[in-house]
Amino acid sequence: MTMPKPRITFRGRPGDSRDARRAGLRFRGSRARIAMVAVVALPAAAAAWIGVTGWLAHSELLAARDDLNALRGSIGTSAVRGARATGAAGAPAESDQERLLRSAAAHASRAHDLTTGPAWFVAAGLPLVGGPFETVRGIAGASDRLASDVLQPLVRAVPRLSSAAGAGSVPTALAGLESEAPRFARAARVAAEVRADARRLPHSTWLPAADRGRAELSGQLDRLVPQTRDVAVAARVVPSMLGTHGPRRYFLAFQNIAEARGTGGLPGAFAVLRADRGKLSFEHFGNNTEIDVEAKVNLGAEFEAQYGYNGPQSLWANSNMSPHFPYAGRIWTSYWRAKTGRTLDGAIAIDPASLGMLLGATGPARLPDGSELTADNAVDLTERDSYAKYSDVTERKSFFVEAARAAAGKMTTAFDDPRLLPALLRAVHDVQRAGRLQVWSAHPGEQRLLEARPFGGALPDAPGPFAGLVLNNGAGTKLDYYLDRSLVWEPGACTDKGRAVTTTVTLTNRAPSSGLPHYVTQRVDAPPYRTRPGDNRLLVSYYAGTGAKLTRATVDGRPVQPIPGFERGHPVYTLDLELPRQSSRTLVLHLHEPEGDRPPTVLRQALVTPLKATVKPARPCGR
């Protein structure tokens, strides 16, 4: 029996059969085609994935934005006032704020998840074309962090604090605010980190929608970061300043913004405010005729050189010529100590515009004559109409005190009413953002925190470009009610000294030529030249950035030599300027700013009419 011989095939080697060789070639060809298809398909698939997930992420971000807009609109409404409702099981029900925030956080989280992963990572790193993908990823990540780590601690604290206040326990609410301080501080820190990350995102890409999204995010963060810092500072200082750990007393000055001073307006009526475990009361009301003593406080050689010749420590009317509010606070409390022997814990300044904003939240205050002080008439009634109504100076000063007493009484009543408290707190926030609330504490730890925030009223002393227009009325008139101010900061060419900057200041006196009371138009300064009723005189000071140098100045095109000075690191240039009625004067200053690549910090002195400030963009030096 013959056995069949085994057949052995050696694939891919000489001697293979033709079919086997063809099969091997087909196999290798199919692998190559698969590889080629993969090379072509993977980028296409990745692009499709990015397109789909990008569209979905965009929808999620829009939904998150809508929730946050609704959340912002809900603050202060009846849906969020007072204590939280309870659910069926007796547990606190979710507030509208918490529901909106939870929804916004979920949308932002999904947008962040959709824009992570290898495809987005690789796309964002592509040269030339990766900018929009990096921007979209950054926007989604920032939105996720803002909703979860910044807004949630802030919003979730509101019901807890409102519940305590709604139960009539302001001390408990203050203690709760104090306990929330670490969370608020962390939220402020995260918000600052997110803003720093957002600023590093590409500013100009080939996709306009991504650029618009980044710009919108940056604008929101520029508003949010200061607010979170304000809340964090308030949580640390407000409980103690309102007497949580013992009674406090403050000098409260009502500034008359119809006559300009560095911190805003001429100090007129005043009060001594007592705070004890959140309960506010007033121990005394008075006017400038009571301040007939000399303050004894050392404010340094720089202050003395800049203001000493105007007697700020002996003349009540000149006590706040500096825009640095802590100087005024120290002088005012020293006045009170010299007069009464009593030490105060700090000083606060507000003005009629502040009272109007606060009365908008609390409702009108009734005056002794039966009339009302309202949100709409607070400025006009105290800064204009009262001068026509009361020809007797003593009567007019009494009216100012009574108006201050009525408004203050309305505020303290509202502070004790949990139904009005949210709206009142929002009004306080608006007042301080407008620069019309200034607070100084005699306690160093509190003051260090206050001085870093706008409501501390401090003249910033950090380096960098700066534009500060500060006016002090030099005529003794009450004509600054009719004053308009504009400032244009325009960067020029780069030089070896920094950057050339031109600042144009225009001042307009809209005072009518007739019909004003004599007290409003009288010239206490008694100038040696002829004036008409309605003419005004101003000490105009311009504060430049640290290290800046003035090269030339003109008024209405004519060369002038401003008086140089120095305050808290800023060179100060001052002119004595006559401002006739129904006229404008234009001051132009040419300077060199050593750090001109950034926009300047603009100081906004709070008067009747807000400053119109225009900052023109600069092209960075070296480009």
Side-chain angles (χ1 to χ4, degrees):
M1 180 175 179
T2 304
M3 298 293 293
K5 294 181 181 180
R7 191 173 180 178
I8 301 174
T9 302
F10 298 92
R11 295 181 180 177
R13 295 184 180 180
D16 289 355
S17 70
R18 182 178 295 177
D19 291 342
R21 287 198 300 271
R22 287 177 179 172
L25 290 173
R26 284 197 299 269
F27 179 75
R28 288 195 296 272
S30 64
R31 286 196 301 179
R33 284 193 297 272
I34 292 171
M36 291 178 65
V37 170
V39 168
V40 174
L42 279 176
W49 173 258
I50 290 173
V52 171
T53 54
W55 181 81
L56 292 172
H58 176 68
S59 300
E60 295 289 353
L61 289 173
L62 289 179
R65 184 186 66 182
D66 291 343
D67 285 336
L68 293 177
N69 287 337
L71 172 65
R72 187 180 301 112
S74 75
I75 296 175
T77 65
S78 59
V80 297
R81 287 196 187 115
R84 299 167 62 181
T86 57
E94 184 179 48
S95 69
D96 288 345
Q97 290 173 309
E98 290 174 310
R99 177 183 56 79
L100 289 167
L101 179 59
R102 179 174 52 79
S103 176
H107 287 302
S109 178
R110 284 194 289 269
H112 178 55
D113 290 341
L114 287 164
T115 54
T116 55
W120 279 91
F121 179 79
V122 172
L126 291 174
L128 300 179
V129 298
F133 308 115
E134 182 182 355
T135 297
V136 172
R137 291 181 78 224
I139 292 173
S143 301
D144 186 28
R145 291 193 73 190
L146 287 176
S148 60
D149 296 337
V150 177
L151 297 179
Q152 285 198 27
L154 300 178
V155 171
R156 287 176 175 172
V158 172
R160 291 193 293 269
L161 300 176
S162 296
S163 295
S169 179
V170 173
T172 301
L174 291 175
L177 180 61
E178 199 168 38
S179 69
E180 296 287 345
R183 294 185 182 89
F184 292 158
R186 181 180 181 276
R189 186 170 60 254
V190 171
E193 293 171 356
V194 171
R195 182 171 68 170
D197 291 341
R199 286 177 172 176
R200 286 191 287 268
L201 294 174
H203 284 56
S204 180
T205 71
W206 54 265
L207 187 61
D211 297 340
R212 288 194 298 270
R214 188 209 62 81
E216 182 179 349
L217 174 65
S218 295
Q220 292 172 344
L221 286 168
D222 285 342
R223 292 186 294 272
L224 179 63
V225 169
Q227 292 173 358
T228 58
R229 288 175 176 167
D230 289 346
V231 170
V233 169
R236 292 185 63 181
V237 303
V238 166
S240 57
M241 293 191 71
L242 289 182
T244 297
H245 306 295
R248 294 286 190 90
R249 291 177 175 81
Y250 301 96
F251 191 96
L252 176 61
F254 299 91
Q255 298 187 104
N256 184 346
I257 48 180
E259 184 174 346
R261 288 295 185 272
T263 64
L266 178 79
F270 70 90
V272 175
L273 172 67
R274 175 187 168 92
D276 187 4
R277 294 176 57 79
K279 180 72 174 179
L280 301 179
S281 59
F282 289 90
E283 296 185 342
H284 181 84
F285 282 91
N287 60 45
N288 61 302
T289 59
E290 294 185 36
I291 307 297
D292 54 0
V293 295
E294 183 171 354
K296 298 185 182 301
V297 54
N298 182 9
L299 299 177
E302 181 182 276
F303 178 89
E304 185 65 25
Q306 186 71 13
Y307 302 105
Y309 60 93
N310 286 302
Q313 300 202 47
S314 57
L315 296 175
W316 166 253
N318 291 344
S319 58
N320 60 335
M321 291 185 67
S322 168
H324 186 58
F325 181 71
Y327 289 154
R330 293 177 65 185
I331 291 173
W332 292 342
T333 53
S334 293
Y335 279 151
W336 191 248
R337 185 171 60 250
K339 181 177 180 62
T340 66
R342 299 173 186 169
T343 299
L344 298 177
D345 294 287
I348 304 168
I350 59 175
D351 60 29
S354 306
L355 295 180
M357 297 167 76
L358 295 171
L359 290 170
T362 66
R366 186 165 296 279
L367 298 173
D369 64 1
S371 62
E372 289 186 333
L373 188 67
T374 70
D376 295 328
N377 71 9
V379 174
D380 289 347
L381 185 62
T382 58
E383 306 291 71
R384 184 187 62 184
D385 299 349
S386 60
Y387 293 110
K389 183 176 181 179
Y390 298 101
S391 58
D392 181 79
V393 175
T394 302
E395 290 183 357
R396 185 169 52 253
K397 291 183 182 297
S398 296
F399 168 78
F400 289 151
V401 172
E402 291 304 323
R405 190 193 305 272
K410 193 69 177 181
M411 300 307 138
T412 55
T413 301
F415 190 82
D416 291 333
D417 187 341
R419 297 169 301 172
L420 297 176
L421 191 55
L424 181 59
L425 292 177
R426 186 169 62 176
V428 170
H429 173 71
D430 292 340
V431 168
Q432 68 90 9
R433 287 199 66 190
R436 298 187 180 279
L437 172 66
Q438 298 163 305
V439 182
W440 171 77
S441 173
H443 300 262
E446 294 173 355
Q447 179 55 23
R448 280 193 295 271
L449 294 171
L450 291 172
E451 197 159 314
R453 305 310 309 144
F455 46 81
L459 175 64
D461 58 356
F466 193 84
L469 173 64
V470 177
L471 306 178
N472 278 282
N473 187 296
T477 65
K478 301 299 183 287
L479 292 170
D480 297 331
Y481 180 92
Y482 303 96
L483 178 65
D484 288 340
R485 303 161 292 154
S486 70
L487 181 149
V488 178
W489 189 91
E490 185 172 7
C494 298
T495 71
D496 57 353
K497 298 179 180 178
R499 183 187 290 277
V501 171
T502 300
T503 300
T504 302
V505 173
T506 303
L507 302 172
T508 301
N509 180 358
R510 295 181 288 99
S513 56
S514 62
L516 294 177
H518 174 67
Y519 186 78
V520 173
T521 63
Q522 67 177 332
R523 294 294 295 264
V524 179
D525 58 332
Y529 45 84
R530 181 177 176 272
T531 62
R532 303 167 301 170
D535 292 352
N536 204 2
R537 174 173 154 252
L538 298 168
L539 298 180
V540 182
S541 297
Y542 181 78
Y543 288 67
T546 302
K549 300 291 184 184
L550 179 69
T551 59
R552 184 164 57 94
T554 63
V555 171
D556 300 332
R558 299 183 178 86
V560 292
Q561 292 291 334
I563 300 171
F566 199 76
E567 186 170 2
R568 287 180 57 81
H570 298 279
V572 185
Y573 304 99
T574 302
L575 282 171
D576 192 330
L577 193 69
E578 185 72 20
L579 186 59
R581 70 189 188 200
Q582 296 293 305
S583 72
S584 294
R585 307 292 302 272
T586 300
L587 166 65
V588 180
L589 301 108
H590 301 272
L591 307 107
H592 276 104
E593 284 273 6
E595 299 181 45
D597 283 357
R598 293 178 288 151
T601 298
V602 178
L603 176 65
R604 298 179 183 271
Q605 183 183 16
L607 298 177
V608 175
T609 304
L611 171 71
K612 295 179 180 178
T614 302
V615 174
K616 297 189 176 181
R619 178 176 297 176
C621 294
R623 294 188 181 180

